Amino acid sequence: MAQTRQLDDSPTAEGFLPRRDFLRTLLAGIPAMALDWNSFPRGPSVARTGGADYDAVIIGAGLAGLSCAAAFARQGFRPLVLEQHTVPGGYATAFKRLGGFVFDVSLHSTGAGERAGVHDLIPGLPEIKGLEFVPHPYLYRAIFPGFDIRVPQRNTAKYAEILAGFFASEKDGIVGIIEDMKGLARDINRYSQSGGKADMATFAKDFPYLVKCSGKTWGQMLDARIRDPKLKSIISALWGYYGLPPSKLSAFYYALPTIGYLEEGGFYPKGRSQAISDALVKFIRERGGMVKLGARVERVILEGHVATGVATADGTEYSARVVVANANPIDVFESMMDEKEYLKDYLAKLRKMSVSLSCFQVFLGLKKDLVGELKIPDSEVFYSPGFDDDAAYRSLLEADLRDPGFGLMLYDNVYRGYSPPGKNTINIMSLQGYDHWARFEEDYGNGRKKEYRAERERIADILIKKVEEVLLPGLSGAIEIKEIGTPLTNWRYTRNYRGAIYGWDQTLDNSGPTRLPQTTPVKNLYLAGAWTQPGHGYGAVIPSGLQCFAEIMKSWKEAPPR
Ligand SMILES: Cc1cc2nc3c(=O)[nH]c(=O)nc-3n(C[C@H](O)[C@H](O)[C@H](O)COP(=O)(O)OP(=O)(O)OC[C@H]3O[C@@H](n4cnc5c(N)ncnc54)[C@H](O)[C@@H]3O)c2cc1C
């Protein structure tokens, strides 16, 4: 007889992993999580903190740190967020330059603001309503040699038709791979709605797509359906979003968000990504929480192997019932504490995990409406000079830009008024390895930036010329403001190790149960953000912060107030 029960540790039919880990692998990459707020304890917590200054100290005001703090504040607890930068948001920030230009540091597109037709909310925090998300006119445009494809918003059937128009003999495969992606999303939704319960006897039958895609790279998933290497590369045009080529990227991490974009659309918030971060900060402060900017945490204070607070660079100590690190875990465990022996195994694990690529960005303010003059309707464009994604990845790792591809954001086509009247704001982005920039590290830290600046100008010129050649003739002559971000810039403003933009690489080894959980070997120290489960991206890190809060609440429910 079929049994319904909680996940257990019995071996899977495949025999590779204990059942619970197998299922957790299957569930990696879930983009949003529904929280049952009523199930959590509530503050006020003066008595609960047991004399500590705060209920929670959060290191870092990235989206995950802020969403975690927002959850504490929502429940009436007292969180304190300490952020080293003078602006909250981590990568979800914007910066101003002369001429009225305001540049987004990261966001191109997200499904985060859109759930079931409601597009002004942050998943898990429905009380935050002040945000307006607008759809991109097209999901994206992909330009390859001989192919120029506009992917429509929320019309997967049309997308399949466009692809089949180019590759008639692959029609069944195209329908098949889309069905695989949809099936995977369906299985995951059903599974998560079941509240983590599954009937083991019929699991493979109940969740066939989950089982089928598990343990596969996106490349393997594609190989099962598509033969033409050009088509494989075109369908994988978004791999830059996830940081790895199909041969290395976990299938879940491509298939799930991509089908989410295709079916539900890609959005962008009015007021840029900064608006999301600011809305979270406002929410926290209105409920008595604190967000302190320009406060770099240097040390996690431990008593025995229990975290009791943090110390900032100016020597101030803050005690708290729990510490949550939105900062990268390598810094947290290697430099913010001296527990090499106690953390031996954990540190060894961290050192083995591969870190995601960084990026190189050119932010341009144009003195005229070049995009309008050229009648280009797109907001997001991916250009690839070829179809060999592995070769492209190797070039990016080495910062070899002899024949570069690029991602291009034309923000004025997302919403009117993005730039000052008659001007354009654009961003050219290329993924990039850190090693090329490591040689400038010391000089950069000491303010000796002459050679560093020359190198970044050289690379920026290559990218600008490429965009000019492929899409925007006259670009060089239209530039009013140019700002350049390198892997070292990423490190400086977010302290992400090696300027990583997606935390750990999203390989099979670094996804699911092998991606770091929110809990750590140090009691009362938790993690939230792109380096942890479920992964990177706006739609994942906000849930990661909430998941972290939920994890902490598990022990608070069990433990009586101190
Ligand atoms: C160029 C670029 C484009 C992207 N495009 C998209 C996109 O289109 N869609 C999408 O969904 N995702 C995109 N992403 C990914 C997304 O931006 C990230 O996954 C997400 O913002 C990471 O959030 P986080 O909370 O994990 O941490 P982070 O944003 O990395 O924030 C960590 C915070 O911790 C702070 N901190 C670190 N150390 C300390 C310390 N010692 N003391 C105090 N504070 C500290 C940092 O200053 C920072 O504010 C992009 C990323 C980049 C870089």
Side-chain angles (χ1 to χ4, degrees):
M1 200 173 75
Q3 295 175 70
T4 301
R5 57 189 165 94
Q6 296 291 338
L7 308 185
D8 65 20
D9 276 320
S10 60
T12 59
E14 294 74 7
F16 299 128
L17 286 166
R19 171 77 67 192
R20 189 176 55 198
D21 284 353
F22 172 68
L23 291 176
R24 287 179 68 194
T25 306
L26 297 182
L27 294 172
I30 294 179
M33 183 184 68
L35 288 189
D36 177 6
W37 291 105
N38 291 328
S39 71
F40 299 130
R42 294 194 72 95
S45 59
V46 181
R48 281 182 170 275
T49 61
D53 300 331
Y54 297 92
D55 287 297
V57 168
I58 290 119
I59 310 170
L63 288 177
L66 291 174
S67 72
C68 187
F72 275 101
R74 186 193 183 281
Q75 292 301 97
F77 295 112
R78 230 159 83 85
L80 166 69
V81 183
L82 295 168
E83 166 56 46
Q84 57 113 20
H85 191 13
T86 49
V87 181
Y91 282 133
T93 46
F95 61 92
K96 290 185 183 153
R97 285 296 178 266
L98 287 176
F101 295 102
V102 185
F103 296 102
D104 200 312
V105 169
S106 71
L107 188 58
H108 296 191
S109 190
T110 178
E114 176 76 8
R115 286 286 174 277
V118 182
H119 56 259
D120 64 346
L121 54 84
I122 293 180
L125 290 168
E127 294 92 342
I128 298 180
K129 290 195 185 300
L131 289 163
E132 187 185 348
F133 288 84
V134 287
H136 283 270
Y138 296 93
L139 186 56
Y140 63 91
R141 175 177 172 187
I143 305 176
F144 287 78
F147 299 88
D148 190 345
I149 295 173
R150 287 202 169 95
V151 180
Q153 285 268 44
R154 299 168 161 215
N155 195 341
T156 315
K158 178 82 189 153
Y159 171 58
E161 213 178 288
I162 293 170
L163 292 178
F166 287 111
F167 299 92
S169 64
E170 298 268 13
K171 194 169 173 201
D172 291 348
I174 293 166
V175 172
I177 191 72
I178 288 174
E179 187 43 42
D180 287 347
M181 290 197 275
K182 282 187 184 173
L184 182 60
R186 255 193 330 264
D187 279 3
I188 287 203
N189 278 340
R190 274 193 304 113
Y191 181 82
S192 74
Q193 275 162 17
S194 78
K197 291 179 181 165
D199 182 342
M200 293 305 152
T202 57
F203 188 82
K205 198 164 122 269
D206 294 343
F207 301 100
Y209 292 93
L210 267 174
V211 173
K212 185 168 149 182
C213 304
S214 169
K216 294 213 167 64
T217 62
W218 169 243
Q220 287 168 328
M221 198 168 152
L222 266 181
D223 288 346
R225 294 290 196 177
I226 307 286
R227 291 179 305 273
D228 191 305
K230 289 186 180 173
L231 177 57
K232 286 182 193 177
S233 186
I234 289 170
I235 295 179
S236 306
L238 290 183
W239 72 259
Y241 269 179
Y242 315 116
L244 285 174
S247 65
K248 297 182 191 300
L249 181 64
S250 154
F252 280 28
Y253 284 77
Y254 193 88
L256 279 175
T258 302
I259 198 65
Y261 279 125
L262 286 167
E263 294 274 279
E264 293 180 37
F267 292 78
Y268 185 84
K270 280 209 168 158
R272 302 160 180 78
S273 62
Q274 189 69 60
I276 305 178
S277 305
D278 290 349
L280 283 162
V281 170
K282 182 164 173 270
F283 183 88
I284 294 163
R285 287 183 171 151
E286 279 172 357
R287 284 157 183 78
M290 285 182 68
V291 180
K292 209 165 183 294
L293 303 173
R296 186 163 57 81
V297 172
E298 260 188 2
R299 193 160 51 88
V300 175
I301 302 168
L302 301 178
E303 282 175 23
H305 300 300
V306 181
T308 57
V310 301
T312 46
D314 65 1
T316 311
E317 295 193 352
Y318 301 89
S319 62
R321 207 172 160 198
V322 290
V323 175
V324 174
N326 181 210
N328 82 78
I330 298 161
D331 278 5
V332 173
F333 295 101
E334 299 255 6
S335 355
M336 292 189 198
M337 61 184 72
D338 188 8
E339 289 288 339
K340 304 274 179 302
E341 185 50 36
Y342 177 66
L343 294 172
K344 197 166 69 220
D345 294 344
Y346 193 71
L347 290 173
K349 178 180 164 180
L350 293 190
R351 285 182 200 125
K352 270 199 217 139
M353 294 172 80
S354 61
V355 172
S356 80
L357 282 174
S358 186
C359 67
F360 187 95
Q361 298 196 78
V362 189
F363 304 90
L364 295 177
L366 306 190
K367 57 190 166 206
K368 61 176 184 170
D369 179 13
L370 181 67
V371 177
E373 283 174 17
L374 293 168
K375 298 197 182 343
I376 294 174
D378 317 286
S379 50
E380 177 152 39
V381 182
F382 295 97
Y383 165 72
S384 174
F387 301 92
D388 185 343
D389 296 329
D390 287 317
Y393 174 70
R394 283 193 299 274
S395 302
L396 296 170
L397 264 182
E398 289 158 20
D400 171 359
L401 285 123
R402 272 174 296 182
D403 190 11
F406 58 77
L408 177 70
M409 277 300 295
L410 306 171
Y411 283 105
D412 296 285
N413 284 335
V414 185
Y415 63 83
R416 282 169 70 86
Y418 195 99
S419 302
K423 299 185 179 186
N424 286 153
T425 304
I426 76 173
N427 171 285
I428 311 169
M429 178 181 163
S430 167
L431 293 175
Q432 198 155 108
Y434 182 80
D435 288 342
H436 182 74
W437 298 90
R439 66 194 151 122
F440 300 112
E441 231 173 46
E442 205 183 319
D443 282 352
Y444 184 87
N446 293 321
R448 292 191 299 266
K449 296 189 177 173
K450 197 167 160 226
E451 285 175 33
Y452 160 78
R453 285 197 177 116
E455 180 57 3
R456 68 176 196 185
E457 288 293 335
R458 183 185 75 81
I459 294 185
D461 281 352
I462 294 173
L463 288 170
I464 291 168
K465 286 206 178 76
K466 198 54 158 179
V467 172
E468 194 158 24
E469 179 191 312
V470 173
L471 200 71
L472 296 179
L475 176 61
S476 306
I479 296 171
E480 179 176 328
I481 287 283
K482 178 174 70 178
E483 192 60 72
I484 302 169
T486 70
L488 289 170
T489 320
N490 288 346
W491 171 79
R492 176 178 168 196
Y493 288 108
T494 68
R495 299 273 152 171
N496 274 300
Y497 182 66
R498 290 170 66 84
I501 60 172
Y502 302 142
W504 309 110
D505 270 332
Q506 300 183 126
T507 56
L508 288 173
D509 287 345
N510 291 347
S511 54
T514 46
R515 204 166 186 85
L516 291 183
Q518 273 74 38
T519 49
T520 77
V522 175
K523 192 165 177 340
N524 291 347
L525 174 61
Y526 294 82
L527 301 174
W531 298 85
T532 70
Q533 297 171 13
H536 89 276
Y538 286 52
V541 297
I542 293 172
S544 165
L546 299 177
Q547 203 168 306
C548 181
F549 169 76
E551 197 60 48
I552 295 165
M553 288 303 110
K554 274 189 204 161
S555 56
W556 284 20
K557 260 195 282 189
E558 286 153 17
R562 287 188 296 184

